[in-house]
Amino acid sequence: MRNFLLCLAAATASAALAAAPKTSVNWQSMGNSYDADGKPQYTQRITVKGNLDFPRMGFNMFARRMHTVNPADTLVEIFPGYYYIASPRLSSGADSVVIDIVTKAHLVNKCYAPDGFHRINSDGTTEGVAYSRQTISRPEQWQSGKRDKMVYGNTIYKQNQERNTGWKPGVYDVVPRYKKVTMLPGTSRVKDPVFVNINPENPEYYKITVRNDSLIVACRPDKQWAAMYPFAAKVLMPNEGKPLPNVEIENWPDMAWRGQHIDISRNYQTPDAMKTVLEIMAANHLNKLHFHFSDDEAWRLEIPGMPELTELASRRGYSTDGEKEYLYQIFAGDGNPNTMTGTANGYWTRDEFIEFIRQAHFLGIDVLPEIESPGHARAAIKAMESRHRRGDDRYRLIHDGDTSKYTSAQSYHDNVMNPALPGPYEFMGKVFDEIIAMYNEAGVPLLGIHIGGDEVPRGSWNGSSVTKEFMEKHGMKTEKEVHAYFVSQLSDMLKKRGVPMYGWEEVAVGHGHDFNAKVAPTVGGVHCWHDTPDAAVRAISEGFPVILSNVNRFYLDMSYSPHPEEQGLTWGGYVDEFDALHGYPSEMCPVNLDSVPGKLVGVQGQIWSETIRNPQQLYFMLLPKVLGLSERGWNNKPTWTDAEFNAIIGEKELPTYKRDGTRLSVHMRQPGITVENGMVLMNAPYSGGEIRYTTDGTEPNADSKLSSFDNTAAATLSAPGVKT
């Protein structure tokens, strides 16, 4: 296991273009306000400089109702989340142009700012621009009327005091906590571990003994070295060659499934970046990677015999032909579907995936591939429409003449397969078989295949004559029954292939007794993601195996805090390492497990990639949140207090990340600052931390003044205008 470096600042949001751009764009929020009807709004100011010799400028942002202030400017929605501004001012030859856009809703944080700016030239070609974003620093830029969710410095100061009690972790105080630690007399100088074969009833049980200048790891033969070295490293690494107290440690997990979901569809991650994710998982005793490679926004895995999935659906850009060659740009990019820097374009080859699952298996991690269906399938639908235009309808996922009107959770209107057609089953069967073949060639067991199944919008098939006839034929009254039929058919298809089916909670909840009796025995796990226990309790009570994936505990892509400069979305609340630590299964699924036909399989963290633009931002969201997830997967019941957990992060985990290389960004909580008796008091989130400050209103940096303090007494400054 390699060590990780602590990087205090996240990498820039957009990849640099190879050639110096002709044009620059600066964005800022002019502040939240209300319109004449009392509805929330804010004004975005976009300043364009450089060569103003083009008619349009494209950009991305979360779908909102917007309008330009200047009547000379026209704002057009190309596609939900993708816009262009047309204006004679952009081709006027002026030195700069200011474009103000009134936007409905209130700005929450920097991730709701636009991205993916690009020139659209007169000949239809595109060029990237140099993009900068001003900080969100004034209260009116983030406050929403009387609702001010910002956690200010005095509150942080109090939290830091409560979490820094002076407790110091011992050598064997780690995350996740060992089940049983028996101290032995004396010390030992040890180097690499020695492995001893045992065959315990629990396959993940292991025993570490430090004695007689050796470190012995007793475990099953198939768990040795790659899978077990991170466990031993928790003992070895923090001591850097110093003598270790002799000890006998017995350890085992409470949960068989300790998972992490990573979405590479919405914004792309390379195999190398994902191998680093595997290392982070192994270091934190996670053993299941939920690999989300397909969604509305892209398809990222090569499937033999279906070249359209990657030739069309892994590429995004400015399109004038209705997406016949590639998808519309979404989230980020430069308008060019062939640009291979950044996160808009890219896919994994079959060989790359095979090599990746071998590496995961070596580290003791199973990879669960997900094929989103029947919703969240826009990329696959567009790819198969390309195939249809070439005369092959075998895998077609929609039909002509369908007038269904719906809006998905991400504001799309064309992202649902039609289960009344034969094409979706042919398509899914083909992808099933090719994925199974990849695992067979890799020599790696296939844990199962995840079919998605979530967020099918109401009205998805209400304008389909084919679906209407299908429902009449099968005696169906509701579209939910159509969805259930689709899930049941895929369950049968995977059962015949000897592969368990996985899905989001929607595949299990509310479909009736007959459905449950047929489908539940074929399911390996249902990921319950809502912030209440209802879905998990219902699914497990109806016989399904449940994996707790709650948004308010384990959606690691949620923003760490309400600070407007934090990365991450906020629709599910705010999630930090302490929220994950408090994700107790007994609270998220409060049932007597002995009295229900289903079972509780485990816990899983989720990272969706809407806000992620590079690997560093991915790691930034994982670390240190993954520590709370790791603790709850390994130990279901309370173990470390918040103060103890915080001390282990500061004293052990952060130094571990810092030891080797420059690969990772790690989120650091902010210092506290308050005023008492005319004095400015500051404290740090972790013991041993540094606070640098300024007194002239500028943002501190590595060269700013260093405050000397301890975390209980804090630092005192009498100067006004202190910024930390």
Side-chain angles (χ1 to χ4, degrees), residues 262-278:
I262 303 288
D263 162 26
I264 72 164
S265 172
R266 288 170 173 153
N267 280 297
Y268 179 65
Q269 297 291 341
T270 66
D272 283 344
M274 288 296 293
K275 287 175 184 176
T276 299
V277 170
L278 292 179

Side-chain angles (χ1 to χ4, degrees), residues 270-512:
T270 66
D272 283 344
M274 288 296 293
K275 287 175 184 176
T276 299
V277 170
L278 292 179
E279 294 176 20
I280 294 171
M281 291 178 62
N284 290 284
H285 307 350
L286 303 184
N287 63 351
K288 313 293 182 188
L289 173 65
H290 183 163
F291 184 59
H292 192 97
F293 68 83
S294 72
D295 211 300
D296 294 319
E297 296 82 5
W299 184 286
R300 305 294 192 183
L301 178 62
E302 178 187 20
I303 301 296
M306 296 179 129
E308 301 86 356
L309 288 171
T310 47
E311 291 175 358
L312 184 148
S314 75
R315 302 162 66 228
R316 305 193 295 226
Y318 175 67
S319 173
T320 58
D321 64 2
E323 300 178 291
K324 291 181 180 178
E325 300 297 329
Y326 48 85
L327 300 177
Y328 288 128
Q329 179 168 300
I330 187 70
F331 298 124
D334 62 2
N336 185 347
N338 299 316
T339 298
M340 296 312 295
T341 55
T343 56
N345 309 316
Y347 69 90
W348 291 20
T349 67
R350 184 178 187 276
D351 289 344
E352 285 173 329
F353 183 66
I354 288 172
E355 196 273 332
F356 178 79
I357 58 178
R358 283 174 176 158
Q359 176 67 13
H361 184 66
F362 177 74
L363 293 173
I365 297 171
D366 296 310
V367 178
L368 175 70
E370 178 178 358
I371 312 160
E372 272 282 23
S373 66
H376 284 285
R378 190 177 189 277
I381 289 169
K382 294 299 179 181
M384 294 304 100
E385 285 301 281
S386 174
R387 195 179 187 104
H388 158 68
R389 288 190 291 272
R390 292 201 287 268
D392 184 355
D393 283 349
R394 179 180 177 187
Y395 303 123
R396 198 177 185 200
L397 305 174
I398 59 175
H399 68 84
D400 294 330
D402 188 343
T403 60
S404 301
K405 294 182 179 180
Y406 59 87
T407 301
S408 76
Q410 286 72 35
S411 300
Y412 304 129
H413 315 294
D414 53 356
N415 74 331
V416 184
M417 302 176 181
N418 192 325
L421 300 171
Y425 307 102
E426 293 286 342
F427 175 86
M428 295 297 285
K430 169 67 172 175
V431 179
F432 289 163
D433 289 340
E434 293 298 339
I435 287 176
I436 292 168
M438 293 182 209
Y439 279 80
N440 287 340
E441 185 170 327
V444 172
L446 175 56
L447 176 70
I449 293 178
H450 199 291
I451 67 162
D454 61 316
E455 295 187 325
V456 176
R458 183 178 299 176
S460 292
W461 309 296
N462 62 12
S464 167
S465 59
V466 174
T467 303
K468 183 179 179 180
E469 293 173 6
F470 179 84
M471 293 175 68
E472 291 174 353
K473 176 181 177 181
H474 292 277
M476 298 177 181
K477 302 296 184 183
T478 67
E479 289 189 355
K480 190 168 186 177
E481 292 175 277
V482 178
H483 184 197
Y485 177 89
F486 178 79
V487 172
S488 178
Q489 290 297 106
L490 296 193
S491 167
D492 283 344
M493 292 167 63
L494 286 169
K495 181 180 179 181
K496 290 175 182 177
R497 291 164 169 81
V499 176
M501 183 179 79
Y502 289 74
W504 297 105
E505 64 187 48
E506 289 90 332
V507 307
V509 175
H511 298 307

Side-chain angles (χ1 to χ4, degrees), residues 64 146 184 403 461 554 562-563 586 611 632 650 677:
R64 295 286 187 271
K146 296 180 180 179
L184 304 175
T403 60
W461 309 296
F554 297 142
H563 195 290
S586 61
T611 70
R632 287 292 73 84
N677 300 321

Side-chain angles (χ1 to χ4, degrees), residues 150-193:
M150 173 73 84
V151 181
Y152 290 98
N154 55 346
T155 301
I156 299 297
Y157 183 87
K158 182 180 178 181
Q159 288 180 351
N160 289 345
Q161 281 189 311
E162 293 172 347
R163 290 170 177 168
N164 286 286
T165 60
W167 180 83
K168 298 289 185 182
V171 173
Y172 302 118
D173 292 325
V174 298
V175 173
R177 188 171 185 167
Y178 295 129
K179 284 290 195 302
K180 185 177 180 181
V181 177
T182 304
M183 302 305 300
L184 304 175
T187 62
S188 293
R189 289 187 176 274
V190 301
K191 293 184 179 180
D192 289 330

